[in-house]
C-alpha cells in the first residue's frame, strides 16, 4: 500500500539496517539527483511501526534538501523484526549502492541475532552458502556471545572473542 507520510514520522532503526552506516557521499549524490529532477522509488516501511526497511539514504537526502516533506512510502506488514531485517537485506542487496563486504558480514552477524537460517541469508545476499560460510569465518568474531562483523583492518581477529575495547573499535 502506498501512502504519503510526513518524513519526520518515519523511524530509522539502525538495529534493522543492513549497512555499516549511512554514507554522506551517497546522500549528496541523491540530493544532486533530486535537484536534477530524478524520481526515486518510494521508501519502504513497516506499516505498524513506520520503521524504514529501504531508503535510509533517501530519507537523509530528503531531509537535507526539503526538511520535513510528505513522502511516498510503501507500507508493508511484517510479523517480526526478523522479517523486516530479511526484507531490508533483500532490498539493499539488489539495488542502490552495493553492499560492501563489511555490510555483508554485518548482515551475517545480525542474522544470527534474529535466528535467521544461513541458507536464507545467503540467498538474500546473493552469495552461495559456501561463500557465506567463508565470509562468516573470515569476517566475524564474537563479543559477549554475539557475532560481530569485522572490517578488513581487523579481520585478523576473526573467530576470536573480542575485548570490550576491540568491540568498540
Amino acid at each position: 500500500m502506498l501512502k504519503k507520510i510526513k518524513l519526520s514520522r518515519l523511524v530509522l532503526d539502525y538495529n534493522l539496517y543492513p549497512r555499516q552506516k549511512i554514507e554522506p557521499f551517497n546522500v549528496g549524490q541523491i540530493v544532486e539527483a533530486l535537484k536534477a529532477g530524478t524520481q526515486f522509488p518510494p521508501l519502504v516501511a513497516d506499516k505498524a511501526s513506520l520503521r524504514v526497511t529501504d531508503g535510509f539514504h533517501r530519507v537523509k537526502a530528503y531531509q537535507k534538501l526539503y526538511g520535513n516533506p510528505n513522502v511516498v512510502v510503501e507500507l508493508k506488514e511484517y510479523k517480526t523484526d526478523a522479517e523486516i531485517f530479511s526484507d531490508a537485506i533483500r532490498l539493499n542487496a539488489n539495488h542502490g549502492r552495493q553492499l560492501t563486504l563489511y555490510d555483508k558480514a554485518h548482515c551475517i552477524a545480525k542474522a544470527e541475532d534474529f535466528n535467521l537460517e544461513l541458507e536464507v541469508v545467503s540467498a538474500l545476499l546473493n552469495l552461495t552458502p559456501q561463500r557465506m560460510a567463508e565470509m562468516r569465518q573470515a569476517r566475524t568474531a564474537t563479543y559477549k556471545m554475539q557475532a560481530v562483523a569485522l572490517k578488513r583492518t581487523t579481520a585478523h581477529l576473526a573467530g576470536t572473542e573480542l575485548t570490550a575495547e576491540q568491540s568498540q573499535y
Side-chain angles (χ1 to χ4, degrees):
M1 163 174 68
L2 293 178
K3 187 173 181 180
K4 280 203 163 196
I5 297 176
K6 203 67 145 161
L7 191 64
S8 62
R9 291 187 56 213
L10 298 175
V11 177
L12 298 181
D13 184 346
Y14 290 90
N15 191 47
L16 300 171
Y17 190 47
R19 298 182 185 279
Q20 170 192 6
K21 63 182 180 178
I22 293 177
E23 292 290 339
F25 179 77
N26 193 34
V27 172
Q29 287 184 311
I30 294 170
V31 166
E32 290 305 313
L34 288 167
K35 287 178 182 177
T38 301
Q39 297 292 313
F40 286 90
L43 301 168
V44 180
D46 174 48
K47 183 178 180 183
S49 65
L50 295 181
R51 289 182 293 173
V52 174
T53 308
D54 183 48
F56 276 51
H57 284 94
R58 284 175 278 153
V59 165
K60 292 294 187 182
Y62 294 145
Q63 287 173 335
K64 188 173 185 174
L65 188 59
Y66 304 120
N68 186 27
N70 286 318
V71 292
V72 178
V73 180
E74 180 182 351
L75 297 173
K76 291 186 170 186
E77 292 186 32
Y78 299 102
K79 294 179 182 145
T80 65
D81 283 358
E83 277 188 31
I84 296 172
F85 185 65
S86 294
D87 205 30
I89 292 172
R90 181 185 63 80
L91 291 166
N92 280 271
N94 292 312
H95 74 264
R97 193 179 127 252
Q98 276 192 321
L99 292 174
T100 65
L101 286 176
Y102 180 79
D103 293 335
K104 290 177 182 182
H106 172 75
C107 289
I108 293 166
K110 292 297 280 180
E112 291 184 23
D113 293 344
F114 291 113
N115 295 315
L116 295 172
E117 294 180 19
L118 294 182
E119 295 79 20
V120 171
V121 179
S122 69
L124 292 170
L125 290 171
N126 303 312
L127 296 171
T128 65
Q130 178 184 350
R131 176 67 180 127
M132 194 169 114
E134 291 168 358
M135 282 189 68
R136 185 185 182 286
Q137 185 176 15
R139 290 292 188 130
T140 64
T142 56
Y143 177 66
K144 294 188 178 182
M145 308 275 294
Q146 294 214 319
V148 176
L150 298 173
K151 297 177 182 176
R152 183 181 51 80
T153 56
T154 58
H156 63 282
L157 298 170
T160 66
E161 177 70 21
L162 302 176
T163 65
E165 185 180 16
Q166 288 170 328
S167 72
Q168 295 253 334
Y169 175 75

